[in-house]
Amino acid sequence: GENVEQHPSTLSVQEGDSAVIKCTYSDSASNYFPWYKQELGKRPQLIIDIRSNVGEKKDQRIAVTLNKTAKHFSLHITETQPEDSAVYFCAASGSQGGSEKLVFGKGTKLTVNP
Amino acid sequence: GAVVSQHPSWVICKSGTSVKIECRSLDFQATTMFWYRQFPKQSLMLMATSNEGSKATYEQGVEKDKFLINHASLTLSTLTVTSAHPEDSSFYICSARKGGYTFGSGTRLTVV
């Protein structure tokens, strides 16, 4: 089955700096890669996602890149703000025809210092 | 947008009792529902996949007799934790796919 590795487990940056979180996946059939932000005791909140037919997607300060050959994808947050502090999870899943199970990475605790 | 309603949001039960958690898709039909468990400061671990009208598929290491899953209709999936023990205390959350994945609000289970 799918296995998703996420690094780093903790990340501390100064306000205004960029933050990068990286993930690798094992199943070449996976084709959907979302990123979630989760606050304590709450449901995961989708912040950006990418499908395997594109290599990069950007939404304001957040961007995701995907390298299908290497089977890794990354989250980039620019101009970080204290409110970006949270736990971030990457995940991977297959298509309707394959496994739809969404498998999560172990998470990254991001701290943005004012 | 797609909404999944999960109840209860929190529950405290005594050891040895059973607890049922419900997830309903409010504005779409969910033939499949995914159930996750999340321990403090850890990731969401997939426990099982419920399929409407058929048996659930459990992940390796998850006791199917302890975590009973029922998906009797296209809008309702339930997870029953049977003979609960303190080590079952966790955050349980369901998810269904409609385009992307929609999550319930989660259930905080505490077994005392």
Side-chain angles (χ1 to χ4, degrees):
Chain A
E2 177 64 276
N3 182 50
V4 178
E5 298 285 341
Q6 181 172 347
H7 299 280
S9 56
T10 61
L11 180 59
S12 182
V13 300
Q14 288 299 122
E15 182 176 1
D17 288 350
S18 295
V20 179
I21 303 171
K22 298 182 178 182
C23 288
T24 61
Y25 61 100
S26 61
D27 189 348
S28 56
S30 290
N31 62 3
Y32 177 64
F33 308 92
W35 286 88
Y36 296 93
K37 178 181 181 181
Q38 188 184 30
E39 298 180 5
L40 192 64
K42 300 288 183 63
R43 75 186 85 195
Q45 177 188 2
L46 179 69
I47 57 172
I48 196 167
D49 58 9
I50 191 168
R51 298 184 187 275
S52 59
N53 57 344
V54 297
E56 184 174 358
K57 184 177 178 180
K58 189 174 182 180
D59 182 5
Q60 299 183 343
R61 298 186 297 110
I62 296 173
V64 56
T65 60
L66 171 65
N67 183 325
K68 286 174 55 180
T69 303
K71 288 190 282 190
H72 65 69
F73 55 113
S74 301
L75 176 71
H76 304 252
I77 305 175
T78 59
E79 301 172 31
T80 54
Q81 301 166 4
E83 49 265 39
D84 293 329
S85 297
V87 179
Y88 292 82
F89 292 98
C90 63
S93 80
S95 66
Q96 295 287 339
S99 171
E100 294 186 8
K101 294 191 294 186
L102 186 64
V103 178
F104 285 82
K106 291 191 181 302
T108 297
K109 183 177 181 181
L110 173 64
T111 303
V112 181
N113 302 300
Chain B
V3 176
V4 172
S5 175
Q6 183 171 347
H7 295 279
S9 56
W10 62 270
V11 58
I12 301 173
C13 71
K14 292 183 178 181
S15 287
T17 62
S18 296
V19 173
K20 181 185 284 188
I21 301 169
E22 292 188 350
C23 276
R24 294 181 183 273
S25 55
L26 297 186
D27 50 0
F28 68 103
Q29 294 181 332
T31 56
T32 300
M33 193 77 77
F34 304 98
W35 287 93
Y36 294 87
R37 177 170 54 183
Q38 185 176 32
F39 291 111
K41 299 184 178 181
Q42 294 189 22
S43 184
L44 288 82
M45 297 302 298
L46 182 65
M47 299 174 64
T49 302
S50 73
N51 304 291
E52 188 270 334
S54 64
K55 291 183 179 180
T57 304
Y58 290 81
E59 295 299 305
Q60 191 173 9
V62 177
E63 300 175 58
K64 58 182 66 178
D65 294 332
K66 180 171 184 62
F67 299 99
L68 300 180
I69 289 175
N70 184 278
H71 197 145
S73 77
L74 289 170
T75 58
L76 175 63
S77 177
T78 62
L79 167 68
T80 301
V81 183
T82 64
S83 186
H85 291 286
E87 55 265 32
D88 298 323
S89 298
S90 188
F91 186 64
Y92 293 85
I93 191 164
C94 60
S95 176
R97 187 167 193 180
K98 182 172 174 65
Y101 290 82
T102 299
F103 290 86
S105 55
T107 298
R108 171 72 58 192
L109 170 64
T110 302
V111 185
V112 297

mmCIF file of all heavy atoms in Angstrom, chain A residues 4-7 20-24 32-38 44-50 62-66 72-77 87-92 102 104-105 107-108:
data_model
loop_
_atom_site.group_PDB
_atom_site.id
_atom_site.type_symbol
_atom_site.label_atom_id
_atom_site.label_comp_id
_atom_site.label_asym_id
_atom_site.label_seq_id
_atom_site.Cartn_x
_atom_site.Cartn_y
_atom_site.Cartn_z
ATOM 1 N N VAL A 4 3.606 7.394 2.913
ATOM 2 C CA VAL A 4 3.967 8.795 2.722
ATOM 3 C C VAL A 4 4.929 9.216 3.831
ATOM 4 O O VAL A 4 4.611 9.068 5.012
ATOM 5 C CB VAL A 4 2.714 9.697 2.731
ATOM 6 C CG1 VAL A 4 3.112 11.158 2.582
ATOM 7 C CG2 VAL A 4 1.755 9.288 1.612
ATOM 8 N N GLU A 5 6.084 9.714 3.435
ATOM 9 C CA GLU A 5 7.082 10.199 4.379
ATOM 10 C C GLU A 5 7.103 11.718 4.325
ATOM 11 O O GLU A 5 7.096 12.301 3.234
ATOM 12 C CB GLU A 5 8.468 9.646 4.019
ATOM 13 C CG GLU A 5 8.580 8.127 4.078
ATOM 14 C CD GLU A 5 8.652 7.613 5.494
ATOM 15 O OE1 GLU A 5 8.979 8.407 6.403
ATOM 16 O OE2 GLU A 5 8.367 6.427 5.706
ATOM 17 N N GLN A 6 7.181 12.357 5.487
ATOM 18 C CA GLN A 6 7.137 13.820 5.548
ATOM 19 C C GLN A 6 8.283 14.330 6.405
ATOM 20 O O GLN A 6 8.554 13.821 7.479
ATOM 21 C CB GLN A 6 5.792 14.262 6.147
ATOM 22 C CG GLN A 6 5.605 15.762 6.234
ATOM 23 C CD GLN A 6 4.191 16.153 6.641
ATOM 24 O OE1 GLN A 6 3.275 15.332 6.641
ATOM 25 N NE2 GLN A 6 4.004 17.418 6.983
ATOM 26 N N HIS A 7 8.931 15.407 5.904
ATOM 27 C CA HIS A 7 10.038 16.016 6.631
ATOM 28 C C HIS A 7 10.026 17.530 6.432
ATOM 29 O O HIS A 7 9.638 18.012 5.366
ATOM 30 C CB HIS A 7 11.376 15.466 6.097
ATOM 31 C CG HIS A 7 11.524 14.002 6.263
ATOM 32 N ND1 HIS A 7 11.894 13.426 7.452
ATOM 33 C CD2 HIS A 7 11.304 12.994 5.390
ATOM 34 C CE1 HIS A 7 11.920 12.122 7.291
ATOM 35 N NE2 HIS A 7 11.566 11.823 6.067
ATOM 36 N N VAL A 20 9.498 25.446 3.876
ATOM 37 C CA VAL A 20 9.343 24.366 2.895
ATOM 38 C C VAL A 20 9.190 23.041 3.629
ATOM 39 O O VAL A 20 9.988 22.717 4.511
ATOM 40 C CB VAL A 20 10.553 24.275 1.939
ATOM 41 C CG1 VAL A 20 10.359 23.129 0.941
ATOM 42 C CG2 VAL A 20 10.760 25.592 1.212
ATOM 43 N N ILE A 21 8.176 22.294 3.263
ATOM 44 C CA ILE A 21 7.935 20.970 3.833
ATOM 45 C C ILE A 21 7.909 19.984 2.675
ATOM 46 O O ILE A 21 7.280 20.242 1.646
ATOM 47 C CB ILE A 21 6.595 20.921 4.596
ATOM 48 C CG1 ILE A 21 6.576 21.989 5.699
ATOM 49 C CG2 ILE A 21 6.373 19.531 5.196
ATOM 50 C CD1 ILE A 21 5.216 22.159 6.369
ATOM 51 N N LYS A 22 8.602 18.857 2.853
ATOM 52 C CA LYS A 22 8.746 17.905 1.761
ATOM 53 C C LYS A 22 8.130 16.551 2.096
ATOM 54 O O LYS A 22 8.199 16.101 3.243
ATOM 55 C CB LYS A 22 10.230 17.723 1.429
ATOM 56 C CG LYS A 22 10.910 19.004 0.965
ATOM 57 C CD LYS A 22 12.358 18.778 0.612
ATOM 58 C CE LYS A 22 12.988 20.083 0.117
ATOM 59 N NZ LYS A 22 14.414 19.889 -0.280
ATOM 60 N N CYS A 23 7.568 15.922 1.082
ATOM 61 C CA CYS A 23 6.976 14.603 1.243
ATOM 62 C C CYS A 23 7.349 13.694 0.081
ATOM 63 O O CYS A 23 7.521 14.175 -1.045
ATOM 64 C CB CYS A 23 5.447 14.698 1.324
ATOM 65 S SG CYS A 23 4.864 15.393 2.888
ATOM 66 N N THR A 24 7.484 12.427 0.369
ATOM 67 C CA THR A 24 7.673 11.428 -0.665
ATOM 68 C C THR A 24 6.573 10.392 -0.540
ATOM 69 O O THR A 24 6.026 10.178 0.545
ATOM 70 C CB THR A 24 9.046 10.735 -0.558
ATOM 71 O OG1 THR A 24 9.123 10.072 0.715
ATOM 72 C CG2 THR A 24 10.175 11.734 -0.676
ATOM 73 N N TYR A 32 -3.322 12.174 -6.554
ATOM 74 C CA TYR A 32 -3.905 13.345 -5.900
ATOM 75 C C TYR A 32 -3.140 13.597 -4.613
ATOM 76 O O TYR A 32 -2.979 12.688 -3.795
ATOM 77 C CB TYR A 32 -5.388 13.102 -5.613
ATOM 78 C CG TYR A 32 -6.056 14.227 -4.873
ATOM 79 C CD1 TYR A 32 -6.175 15.492 -5.454
ATOM 80 C CD2 TYR A 32 -6.556 14.046 -3.599
ATOM 81 C CE1 TYR A 32 -6.786 16.532 -4.780
ATOM 82 C CE2 TYR A 32 -7.165 15.077 -2.910
ATOM 83 C CZ TYR A 32 -7.276 16.323 -3.500
ATOM 84 O OH TYR A 32 -7.869 17.356 -2.830
ATOM 85 N N PHE A 33 -2.665 14.848 -4.440
ATOM 86 C CA PHE A 33 -1.760 15.158 -3.340
ATOM 87 C C PHE A 33 -2.211 16.449 -2.656
ATOM 88 O O PHE A 33 -1.842 17.555 -3.063
ATOM 89 C CB PHE A 33 -0.326 15.299 -3.863
ATOM 90 C CG PHE A 33 0.107 14.121 -4.692
ATOM 91 C CD1 PHE A 33 -0.050 14.114 -6.066
ATOM 92 C CD2 PHE A 33 0.643 12.990 -4.078
ATOM 93 C CE1 PHE A 33 0.326 13.016 -6.835
ATOM 94 C CE2 PHE A 33 1.031 11.887 -4.839
ATOM 95 C CZ PHE A 33 0.863 11.904 -6.210
ATOM 96 N N PRO A 34 -2.982 16.313 -1.586
ATOM 97 C CA PRO A 34 -3.435 17.491 -0.852
ATOM 98 C C PRO A 34 -2.529 17.813 0.326
ATOM 99 O O PRO A 34 -1.821 16.941 0.842
ATOM 100 C CB PRO A 34 -4.826 17.063 -0.368
ATOM 101 C CG PRO A 34 -4.705 15.581 -0.179
ATOM 102 C CD PRO A 34 -3.699 15.096 -1.192
ATOM 103 N N TRP A 35 -2.580 19.052 0.741
ATOM 104 C CA TRP A 35 -1.908 19.509 1.950
ATOM 105 C C TRP A 35 -2.962 20.070 2.908
ATOM 106 O O TRP A 35 -3.854 20.808 2.480
ATOM 107 C CB TRP A 35 -0.880 20.601 1.628
ATOM 108 C CG TRP A 35 0.360 20.080 0.979
ATOM 109 C CD1 TRP A 35 0.581 19.902 -0.360
ATOM 110 C CD2 TRP A 35 1.558 19.669 1.644
ATOM 111 N NE1 TRP A 35 1.853 19.413 -0.572
ATOM 112 C CE2 TRP A 35 2.467 19.254 0.634
ATOM 113 C CE3 TRP A 35 1.972 19.607 2.977
ATOM 114 C CZ2 TRP A 35 3.766 18.794 0.930
ATOM 115 C CZ3 TRP A 35 3.251 19.150 3.267
ATOM 116 C CH2 TRP A 35 4.123 18.753 2.253
ATOM 117 N N TYR A 36 -2.811 19.700 4.171
ATOM 118 C CA TYR A 36 -3.776 20.128 5.169
ATOM 119 C C TYR A 36 -3.077 20.870 6.307
ATOM 120 O O TYR A 36 -1.938 20.570 6.669
ATOM 121 C CB TYR A 36 -4.530 18.930 5.751
ATOM 122 C CG TYR A 36 -5.379 18.188 4.755
ATOM 123 C CD1 TYR A 36 -4.871 17.089 4.062
ATOM 124 C CD2 TYR A 36 -6.692 18.573 4.507
ATOM 125 C CE1 TYR A 36 -5.653 16.407 3.138
ATOM 126 C CE2 TYR A 36 -7.479 17.883 3.584
ATOM 127 C CZ TYR A 36 -6.946 16.806 2.909
ATOM 128 O OH TYR A 36 -7.721 16.140 1.998
ATOM 129 N N LYS A 37 -3.828 21.792 6.879
ATOM 130 C CA LYS A 37 -3.416 22.489 8.094
ATOM 131 C C LYS A 37 -4.390 22.049 9.178
ATOM 132 O O LYS A 37 -5.608 22.036 8.954
ATOM 133 C CB LYS A 37 -3.513 24.004 7.867
ATOM 134 C CG LYS A 37 -3.161 24.871 9.042
ATOM 135 C CD LYS A 37 -3.329 26.351 8.647
ATOM 136 C CE LYS A 37 -2.970 27.284 9.785
ATOM 137 N NZ LYS A 37 -3.163 28.717 9.409
ATOM 138 N N GLN A 38 -3.860 21.644 10.330
ATOM 139 C CA GLN A 38 -4.749 21.176 11.376
ATOM 140 C C GLN A 38 -4.454 21.862 12.689
ATOM 141 O O GLN A 38 -3.304 21.876 13.156
ATOM 142 C CB GLN A 38 -4.650 19.655 11.567
ATOM 143 C CG GLN A 38 -5.707 19.098 12.518
ATOM 144 C CD GLN A 38 -5.560 17.615 12.783
ATOM 145 O OE1 GLN A 38 -4.469 17.071 12.761
ATOM 146 N NE2 GLN A 38 -6.682 16.940 13.035
ATOM 147 N N PRO A 44 -8.880 18.408 9.694
ATOM 148 C CA PRO A 44 -7.866 18.954 8.785
ATOM 149 C C PRO A 44 -8.513 19.932 7.817
ATOM 150 O O PRO A 44 -9.626 19.707 7.332
ATOM 151 C CB PRO A 44 -7.355 17.716 8.047
ATOM 152 C CG PRO A 44 -7.744 16.566 8.896
ATOM 153 C CD PRO A 44 -9.016 16.954 9.565
ATOM 154 N N GLN A 45 -7.810 21.007 7.533
ATOM 155 C CA GLN A 45 -8.301 22.034 6.615
ATOM 156 C C GLN A 45 -7.434 22.027 5.363
ATOM 157 O O GLN A 45 -6.223 22.223 5.447
ATOM 158 C CB GLN A 45 -8.235 23.396 7.305
ATOM 159 C CG GLN A 45 -8.650 24.567 6.436
ATOM 160 C CD GLN A 45 -8.385 25.901 7.119
ATOM 161 O OE1 GLN A 45 -7.868 25.963 8.229
ATOM 162 N NE2 GLN A 45 -8.726 26.985 6.460
ATOM 163 N N LEU A 46 -8.060 21.800 4.228
ATOM 164 C CA LEU A 46 -7.316 21.779 2.967
ATOM 165 C C LEU A 46 -6.772 23.166 2.653
ATOM 166 O O LEU A 46 -7.506 24.154 2.659
ATOM 167 C CB LEU A 46 -8.236 21.325 1.833
ATOM 168 C CG LEU A 46 -7.618 21.266 0.443
ATOM 169 C CD1 LEU A 46 -6.592 20.138 0.366
ATOM 170 C CD2 LEU A 46 -8.691 21.078 -0.626
ATOM 171 N N ILE A 47 -5.473 23.249 2.389
ATOM 172 C CA ILE A 47 -4.897 24.545 2.036
ATOM 173 C C ILE A 47 -4.509 24.609 0.562
ATOM 174 O O ILE A 47 -4.560 25.682 -0.047
ATOM 175 C CB ILE A 47 -3.698 24.904 2.928
ATOM 176 C CG1 ILE A 47 -2.604 23.828 2.866
ATOM 177 C CG2 ILE A 47 -4.144 25.159 4.360
ATOM 178 C CD1 ILE A 47 -1.320 24.234 3.572
ATOM 179 N N ILE A 48 -4.152 23.498 -0.004
ATOM 180 C CA ILE A 48 -3.831 23.442 -1.425
ATOM 181 C C ILE A 48 -3.714 21.986 -1.834
ATOM 182 O O ILE A 48 -3.417 21.132 -0.987
ATOM 183 C CB ILE A 48 -2.531 24.217 -1.749
ATOM 184 C CG1 ILE A 48 -2.409 24.502 -3.258
ATOM 185 C CG2 ILE A 48 -1.296 23.477 -1.244
ATOM 186 C CD1 ILE A 48 -1.331 25.514 -3.607
ATOM 187 N N ASP A 49 -3.971 21.687 -3.070
ATOM 188 C CA ASP A 49 -3.804 20.320 -3.563
ATOM 189 C C ASP A 49 -3.274 20.364 -4.987
ATOM 190 O O ASP A 49 -3.312 21.395 -5.655
ATOM 191 C CB ASP A 49 -5.104 19.512 -3.486
ATOM 192 C CG ASP A 49 -6.257 20.157 -4.264
ATOM 193 O OD1 ASP A 49 -6.030 21.138 -5.007
ATOM 194 O OD2 ASP A 49 -7.401 19.693 -4.111
ATOM 195 N N ILE A 50 -2.768 19.232 -5.421
ATOM 196 C CA ILE A 50 -2.248 19.141 -6.773
ATOM 197 C C ILE A 50 -2.535 17.752 -7.315
ATOM 198 O O ILE A 50 -2.502 16.771 -6.560
ATOM 199 C CB ILE A 50 -0.733 19.468 -6.802
ATOM 200 C CG1 ILE A 50 -0.241 19.647 -8.244
ATOM 201 C CG2 ILE A 50 0.086 18.403 -6.082
ATOM 202 C CD1 ILE A 50 1.152 20.256 -8.336
ATOM 203 N N ILE A 62 1.071 30.436 -0.940
ATOM 204 C CA ILE A 62 1.257 28.982 -0.836
ATOM 205 C C ILE A 62 1.435 28.376 -2.217
ATOM 206 O O ILE A 62 0.709 28.728 -3.153
ATOM 207 C CB ILE A 62 0.047 28.344 -0.124
ATOM 208 C CG1 ILE A 62 -0.046 28.865 1.318
ATOM 209 C CG2 ILE A 62 0.160 26.823 -0.126
ATOM 210 C CD1 ILE A 62 -1.291 28.430 2.039
ATOM 211 N N ALA A 63 2.387 27.467 -2.329
ATOM 212 C CA ALA A 63 2.615 26.775 -3.589
ATOM 213 C C ALA A 63 2.946 25.321 -3.299
ATOM 214 O O ALA A 63 3.470 24.982 -2.223
ATOM 215 C CB ALA A 63 3.748 27.422 -4.373
ATOM 216 N N VAL A 64 2.622 24.463 -4.234
ATOM 217 C CA VAL A 64 2.977 23.056 -4.133
ATOM 218 C C VAL A 64 3.641 22.640 -5.438
ATOM 219 O O VAL A 64 3.213 23.057 -6.520
ATOM 220 C CB VAL A 64 1.743 22.178 -3.820
ATOM 221 C CG1 VAL A 64 0.648 22.363 -4.843
ATOM 222 C CG2 VAL A 64 2.137 20.712 -3.701
ATOM 223 N N THR A 65 4.699 21.860 -5.322
ATOM 224 C CA THR A 65 5.373 21.317 -6.495
ATOM 225 C C THR A 65 5.323 19.810 -6.438
ATOM 226 O O THR A 65 5.326 19.219 -5.350
ATOM 227 C CB THR A 65 6.840 21.788 -6.562
ATOM 228 O OG1 THR A 65 7.520 21.352 -5.384
ATOM 229 C CG2 THR A 65 6.920 23.299 -6.670
ATOM 230 N N LEU A 66 5.272 19.183 -7.592
ATOM 231 C CA LEU A 66 5.185 17.728 -7.677
ATOM 232 C C LEU A 66 6.193 17.213 -8.687
ATOM 233 O O LEU A 66 6.259 17.703 -9.817
ATOM 234 C CB LEU A 66 3.773 17.309 -8.103
ATOM 235 C CG LEU A 66 3.554 15.839 -8.452
ATOM 236 C CD1 LEU A 66 3.765 14.954 -7.215
ATOM 237 C CD2 LEU A 66 2.165 15.614 -9.032
ATOM 238 N N HIS A 72 7.996 12.770 -5.278
ATOM 239 C CA HIS A 72 7.982 13.647 -4.120
ATOM 240 C C HIS A 72 7.278 14.955 -4.451
ATOM 241 O O HIS A 72 7.186 15.374 -5.620
ATOM 242 C CB HIS A 72 9.374 13.862 -3.516
ATOM 243 C CG HIS A 72 10.348 14.579 -4.376
ATOM 244 N ND1 HIS A 72 10.259 15.917 -4.704
ATOM 245 C CD2 HIS A 72 11.494 14.142 -4.941
ATOM 246 C CE1 HIS A 72 11.295 16.259 -5.444
ATOM 247 N NE2 HIS A 72 12.052 15.203 -5.616
ATOM 248 N N PHE A 73 6.718 15.561 -3.421
ATOM 249 C CA PHE A 73 6.017 16.818 -3.568
ATOM 250 C C PHE A 73 6.302 17.686 -2.350
ATOM 251 O O PHE A 73 6.616 17.165 -1.273
ATOM 252 C CB PHE A 73 4.507 16.605 -3.780
ATOM 253 C CG PHE A 73 3.795 15.805 -2.747
ATOM 254 C CD1 PHE A 73 2.840 16.400 -1.927
ATOM 255 C CD2 PHE A 73 4.022 14.442 -2.584
ATOM 256 C CE1 PHE A 73 2.148 15.665 -0.977
ATOM 257 C CE2 PHE A 73 3.338 13.698 -1.636
ATOM 258 C CZ PHE A 73 2.400 14.318 -0.836
ATOM 259 N N SER A 74 6.243 18.981 -2.552
ATOM 260 C CA SER A 74 6.652 19.922 -1.513
ATOM 261 C C SER A 74 5.657 21.062 -1.370
ATOM 262 O O SER A 74 5.035 21.492 -2.346
ATOM 263 C CB SER A 74 8.034 20.504 -1.845
ATOM 264 O OG SER A 74 9.005 19.496 -1.948
ATOM 265 N N LEU A 75 5.570 21.548 -0.142
ATOM 266 C CA LEU A 75 4.741 22.717 0.171
ATOM 267 C C LEU A 75 5.672 23.886 0.439
ATOM 268 O O LEU A 75 6.632 23.758 1.210
ATOM 269 C CB LEU A 75 3.881 22.442 1.406
ATOM 270 C CG LEU A 75 3.035 23.618 1.909
ATOM 271 C CD1 LEU A 75 1.886 23.884 0.939
ATOM 272 C CD2 LEU A 75 2.492 23.337 3.306
ATOM 273 N N HIS A 76 5.382 25.009 -0.193
ATOM 274 C CA HIS A 76 6.180 26.210 -0.003
ATOM 275 C C HIS A 76 5.266 27.325 0.511
ATOM 276 O O HIS A 76 4.256 27.638 -0.124
ATOM 277 C CB HIS A 76 6.810 26.654 -1.333
ATOM 278 C CG HIS A 76 7.635 25.599 -1.996
ATOM 279 N ND1 HIS A 76 9.020 25.649 -2.049
ATOM 280 C CD2 HIS A 76 7.284 24.454 -2.628
ATOM 281 C CE1 HIS A 76 9.467 24.582 -2.682
ATOM 282 N NE2 HIS A 76 8.445 23.834 -3.051
ATOM 283 N N ILE A 77 5.643 27.893 1.637
ATOM 284 C CA ILE A 77 4.903 29.037 2.172
ATOM 285 C C ILE A 77 5.862 30.214 2.197
ATOM 286 O O ILE A 77 6.929 30.148 2.831
ATOM 287 C CB ILE A 77 4.372 28.773 3.598
ATOM 288 C CG1 ILE A 77 3.527 27.491 3.622
ATOM 289 C CG2 ILE A 77 3.545 29.963 4.086
ATOM 290 C CD1 ILE A 77 3.073 27.089 5.017
ATOM 291 N N VAL A 87 0.098 22.639 12.597
ATOM 292 C CA VAL A 87 0.629 21.365 12.116
ATOM 293 C C VAL A 87 0.136 21.161 10.689
ATOM 294 O O VAL A 87 -1.057 21.324 10.408
ATOM 295 C CB VAL A 87 0.177 20.192 12.999
ATOM 296 C CG1 VAL A 87 0.727 18.874 12.451
ATOM 297 C CG2 VAL A 87 0.664 20.394 14.438
ATOM 298 N N TYR A 88 1.050 20.835 9.805
ATOM 299 C CA TYR A 88 0.735 20.627 8.403
ATOM 300 C C TYR A 88 0.939 19.161 8.034
ATOM 301 O O TYR A 88 1.935 18.541 8.433
ATOM 302 C CB TYR A 88 1.613 21.508 7.513
ATOM 303 C CG TYR A 88 1.297 22.979 7.650
ATOM 304 C CD1 TYR A 88 1.831 23.727 8.703
ATOM 305 C CD2 TYR A 88 0.457 23.623 6.740
ATOM 306 C CE1 TYR A 88 1.527 25.077 8.845
ATOM 307 C CE2 TYR A 88 0.155 24.973 6.877
ATOM 308 C CZ TYR A 88 0.688 25.691 7.936
ATOM 309 O OH TYR A 88 0.376 27.029 8.078
ATOM 310 N N PHE A 89 -0.007 18.622 7.285
ATOM 311 C CA PHE A 89 0.076 17.237 6.833
ATOM 312 C C PHE A 89 0.027 17.182 5.307
ATOM 313 O O PHE A 89 -0.801 17.853 4.689
ATOM 314 C CB PHE A 89 -1.097 16.403 7.360
ATOM 315 C CG PHE A 89 -1.079 16.180 8.841
ATOM 316 C CD1 PHE A 89 -1.849 16.975 9.681
ATOM 317 C CD2 PHE A 89 -0.311 15.174 9.399
ATOM 318 C CE1 PHE A 89 -1.848 16.778 11.052
ATOM 319 C CE2 PHE A 89 -0.304 14.971 10.771
ATOM 320 C CZ PHE A 89 -1.070 15.774 11.596
ATOM 321 N N CYS A 90 0.873 16.362 4.728
ATOM 322 C CA CYS A 90 0.724 16.027 3.321
ATOM 323 C C CYS A 90 -0.014 14.694 3.243
ATOM 324 O O CYS A 90 -0.087 13.953 4.227
ATOM 325 C CB CYS A 90 2.077 15.933 2.623
ATOM 326 S SG CYS A 90 3.150 14.612 3.260
ATOM 327 N N ALA A 91 -0.576 14.405 2.086
ATOM 328 C CA ALA A 91 -1.302 13.155 1.907
ATOM 329 C C ALA A 91 -1.268 12.778 0.432
ATOM 330 O O ALA A 91 -0.972 13.604 -0.433
ATOM 331 C CB ALA A 91 -2.740 13.286 2.406
ATOM 332 N N ALA A 92 -1.584 11.510 0.180
ATOM 333 C CA ALA A 92 -1.602 11.018 -1.194
ATOM 334 C C ALA A 92 -2.726 10.012 -1.353
ATOM 335 O O ALA A 92 -3.029 9.242 -0.434
ATOM 336 C CB ALA A 92 -0.259 10.377 -1.564
ATOM 337 N N LEU A 102 -6.870 7.822 1.363
ATOM 338 C CA LEU A 102 -6.014 8.986 1.557
ATOM 339 C C LEU A 102 -5.060 8.669 2.695
ATOM 340 O O LEU A 102 -5.491 8.450 3.835
ATOM 341 C CB LEU A 102 -6.870 10.216 1.888
ATOM 342 C CG LEU A 102 -6.140 11.546 1.988
ATOM 343 C CD1 LEU A 102 -5.532 11.935 0.652
ATOM 344 C CD2 LEU A 102 -7.090 12.627 2.491
ATOM 345 N N PHE A 104 -1.814 9.747 5.013
ATOM 346 C CA PHE A 104 -1.181 10.970 5.505
ATOM 347 C C PHE A 104 0.276 10.767 5.861
ATOM 348 O O PHE A 104 0.693 9.686 6.276
ATOM 349 C CB PHE A 104 -1.916 11.454 6.759
ATOM 350 C CG PHE A 104 -3.245 12.091 6.487
ATOM 351 C CD1 PHE A 104 -4.373 11.317 6.288
ATOM 352 C CD2 PHE A 104 -3.375 13.469 6.426
ATOM 353 C CE1 PHE A 104 -5.608 11.899 6.031
ATOM 354 C CE2 PHE A 104 -4.589 14.064 6.178
ATOM 355 C CZ PHE A 104 -5.715 13.276 5.974
ATOM 356 N N GLY A 105 1.040 11.828 5.719
ATOM 357 C CA GLY A 105 2.372 11.876 6.289
ATOM 358 C C GLY A 105 2.262 12.100 7.787
ATOM 359 O O GLY A 105 1.156 12.314 8.313
ATOM 360 N N GLY A 107 3.274 14.566 9.584
ATOM 361 C CA GLY A 107 3.010 15.936 10.007
ATOM 362 C C GLY A 107 4.257 16.748 10.289
ATOM 363 O O GLY A 107 5.314 16.202 10.621
ATOM 364 N N THR A 108 4.115 18.056 10.142
ATOM 365 C CA THR A 108 5.184 19.013 10.451
ATOM 366 C C THR A 108 4.599 20.120 11.313
ATOM 367 O O THR A 108 3.623 20.760 10.927
ATOM 368 C CB THR A 108 5.754 19.637 9.163
ATOM 369 O OG1 THR A 108 6.342 18.610 8.355
ATOM 370 C CG2 THR A 108 6.780 20.711 9.481
#
